[in-house]
Amino acid sequence: MQIGSIIVQGKNLLLISGLLISYVMFYYGIRILKIERNIMDLIFNSFINGVLIWKFSYVVLHPNSVLQNPMTILYFNGGYVGIGIGIIFIMIYTWLSIKKQNISLVSYIRAAVPAYLGYFSTFVWIRVMEDPQNYLIILQAIVAVCFFIAASRINTQKTLLQLLIWFHLIQFELALYKNNFVYAGIISKEILLYGSLIIIFLCISYWSERQGREEVTKDEEKGWRNATTKITLGVIILSLDITSILTNQQETGRIESKTVMSTPLDSGKIGTNVGEVAPDFELLSIMGNKVKLSDLRGNTVILNFWATWCPPCKAEIPEMQKFYENNKNNNVEILAVNLTNSESSPDAVKNFVREKGMTFNILLDKQGEIGNLYGVITIPTSYIIDKNGIIRGKYVGPMSYETMDRFISSIQ
């Protein structure tokens, strides 16, 4: 995301915002919700540690890449798998801390639910800033804020847990719609994440109610079981109903999407903004062959601008090579335009490519004309171009395998 003349990667912005919102939620819990300080300390510490685990889980998930280039730790994270590892850590850490400090579960839930929804609201609004045209993300953000306000006004443990379940059900349905509308037939990691969270909070709700059953009558216990059964059945039925409706609308949504995406191509507008036709060019490859962008129509193209002296470029190359090897037979091409005018010599580029084992197309921009044509300021910068030659995405900074996969899956 670009703020004035400053370019900030979305992941780094999330990390910075995570730290800031942690302090905001800490004082919000103490001064507005009147929560005990030790409980807010627990929430604060568990979140910060969870974020760090998410960030550095890349080391565990991709040890070979880290060994080859330790700087990848600075640029990449564990993605959705890392989020899952972070959530598991937070749950275990919280459970042990509650037991050790004899914190009331009711008091903890009273503080944790608003804080959790506050974090979620902040992060999803950052995604809105990065992609303000994505109405599904905007809807997610609005829902998150509404639930945050509701949670701040509720004191009942049972109601708060039910609120969490319904919140994640709505997010699950939105992810399902996004999956049907965009990815067309594959189950995204976002769907699996929200589905898992629904199950987790259902289990927590059941366990917390079970803990209090010793002090209630059998009739009350029976009433709770009936209520839980109704809630669970309601969640399942609503999920199936909404999914069925969205699935029936899937084909209509695809047609509308294609119509909108084809408009820039029909108008013939050429430019480097998303939705415009990518400017054509021709360059010599490192093998001495002429490569023209327009000759690759019919393929999805990742147009990447890089240099051998660029540290984040070095971190990105193994991810890009792996992605190319796994997708080169799926009508996916990578054009890596080396800004040769900034290199010591073309031979240095050839030696670098040979050393790194790069097998995708390496083009030499000896005069820097193509970099200027695409307005490249920071490297690496990548453009995602669909089979019709239309720019469908732009990414400033090193792309991980997961990032490339998400971009390509969304337009194929």
Side-chain angles (χ1 to χ4, degrees):
M1 183 177 67
Q2 187 163 348
I3 306 173
S5 60
I6 301 175
I7 297 174
V8 182
Q9 270 192 276
K11 295 183 180 66
N12 293 333
L13 190 59
L14 284 176
L15 287 173
I16 295 171
S17 300
L19 294 174
L20 293 176
I21 192 62
S22 294
Y23 285 102
V24 171
M25 293 309 302
F26 179 83
Y27 288 104
Y28 178 81
I30 292 176
R31 297 182 179 180
I32 306 300
L33 301 181
K34 307 300 181 183
I35 304 297
E36 293 86 348
R37 188 182 182 91
N38 65 326
I39 296 178
M40 294 310 302
D41 283 335
L42 171 57
I43 295 172
F44 177 85
N45 292 332
S46 63
F47 175 79
I48 295 298
N49 289 326
V51 169
L52 292 176
I53 287 174
W54 162 71
K55 173 64 179 176
F56 293 105
S57 60
Y58 183 85
V59 178
V60 178
L61 299 174
H62 305 281
N64 292 333
S65 297
V66 175
L67 288 174
Q68 293 174 9
N69 187 359
M71 291 192 68
T72 55
I73 300 174
L74 298 177
Y75 304 109
F76 302 133
N77 56 65
Y80 281 102
V81 176
I83 291 175
I85 296 174
I87 290 173
I88 292 173
F89 165 82
I90 289 174
M91 291 177 63
I92 295 174
Y93 176 81
T94 300
W95 167 254
L96 294 176
S97 298
I98 287 176
K99 285 290 186 180
K100 182 178 180 180
Q101 300 180 36
N102 292 320
I103 295 174
S104 166
L105 184 61
V106 175
S107 299
Y108 179 81
I109 291 175
R110 172 71 186 91
V113 174
Y116 174 83
L117 293 172
Y119 287 131
F120 194 101
S121 300
T122 302
F123 294 151
V124 76
W125 275 110
I126 291 174
R127 293 182 63 191
V128 171
M129 293 168 60
E130 292 178 326
D131 189 5
Q133 303 300 319
N134 193 323
Y135 299 111
L136 283 176
I137 295 179
I138 294 175
L139 183 56
Q140 280 185 310
I142 293 173
V143 169
V145 171
C146 291
F147 272 78
F148 168 68
I149 294 172
S152 298
R153 297 174 175 272
I154 295 174
N155 294 313
T156 308
Q157 169 189 319
K158 182 176 179 180
T159 307
L160 283 169
L161 288 172
Q162 290 175 356
L163 194 71
L164 270 184
I165 293 170
W166 282 104
F167 171 74
H168 287 95
L169 174 63
I170 294 173
Q171 299 298 334
F172 180 78
E173 296 295 350
L174 290 173
L176 271 178
Y177 180 74
K178 188 190 304 180
N179 189 78
N180 288 334
F181 183 73
V182 177
Y183 296 97
I186 64 172
I187 298 178
S188 70
K189 293 177 182 177
E190 187 178 9
I191 288 177
L192 294 176
L193 176 64
Y194 288 131
S196 300
L197 287 173
I198 290 172
I199 294 173
I200 288 172
F201 288 119
L202 278 170
C203 292
I204 292 175
S205 179
Y206 172 78
W207 176 82
S208 64
E209 289 289 344
R210 185 178 179 182
Q211 291 297 104
R213 283 192 308 193
E214 296 178 357
E215 300 178 4
V216 298
T217 62
K218 292 183 178 180
D219 290 338
E220 290 174 331
E221 179 182 341
K222 183 179 179 181
W224 171 81
R225 287 180 175 176
N226 290 336
T228 303
T229 302
K230 291 177 182 178
I231 293 171
T232 306
L233 288 175
V235 167
I236 295 173
I237 292 172
L238 182 61
S239 178
L240 291 174
D241 287 343
I242 296 177
T243 303
S244 176
I245 293 171
L246 295 178
T247 302
N248 290 335
Q249 295 177 344
Q250 178 179 349
E251 292 302 323
T252 303
R254 286 185 194 164
I255 293 172
E256 291 174 358
S257 177
K258 290 179 180 178
T259 302
V260 172
M261 291 301 180
S262 64
T263 302
L265 184 60
D266 295 338
S267 64
K269 185 176 182 180
I270 298 175
T272 58
N273 296 317
V274 174
E276 296 178 338
V277 179
D280 197 15
F281 63 86
E282 183 178 84
L283 286 173
L284 284 176
S285 74
I286 201 169
M287 305 301 294
N289 304 319
K290 288 185 178 180
V291 177
K292 194 173 184 180
L293 178 62
S294 57
D295 289 340
L296 297 178
R297 291 285 174 88
N299 297 289
T300 302
V301 178
I302 298 177
L303 177 60
N304 175 260
F305 292 89
W306 70 287
T308 61
W309 47 262
C310 162
C313 298
K314 294 178 182 179
E316 180 183 54
I317 286 170
E319 300 281 306
M320 192 167 285
Q321 178 63 36
K322 182 180 177 182
F323 183 79
Y324 176 71
E325 290 174 357
N326 292 340
N327 292 274
K328 60 185 177 181
N329 296 325
N330 298 326
N331 296 322
V332 175
E333 292 285 346
I334 295 179
L335 292 185
V337 178
N338 174 264
L339 303 181
T340 317
N341 62 319
S342 68
E343 302 281 4
S344 59
S345 69
D347 289 336
V349 180
K350 293 180 181 179
N351 294 335
F352 182 89
V353 169
R354 183 168 52 252
E355 178 186 338
K356 297 298 183 181
M358 301 162 67
T359 60
F360 44 85
N361 283 309
I362 309 296
L363 308 184
L364 302 177
D365 187 9
K366 296 182 180 180
Q367 305 301 321
E369 295 176 351
I370 308 307
N372 291 334
L373 176 65
Y374 277 81
V376 176
I377 300 174
T378 303
I379 56 174
T381 291
S382 299
Y383 289 87
I384 314 301
I385 304 171
D386 71 12
K387 62 182 180 180
N388 295 317
I390 300 172
I391 297 175
R392 299 288 291 275
K394 178 182 178 181
Y395 194 89
V396 179
M399 289 200 297
S400 65
Y401 186 102
E402 185 179 59
T403 301
M404 286 181 273
D405 186 57
R406 185 173 68 251
F407 268 121
I408 299 302
S409 298
S410 68
I411 64 176
Q412 283 192 327

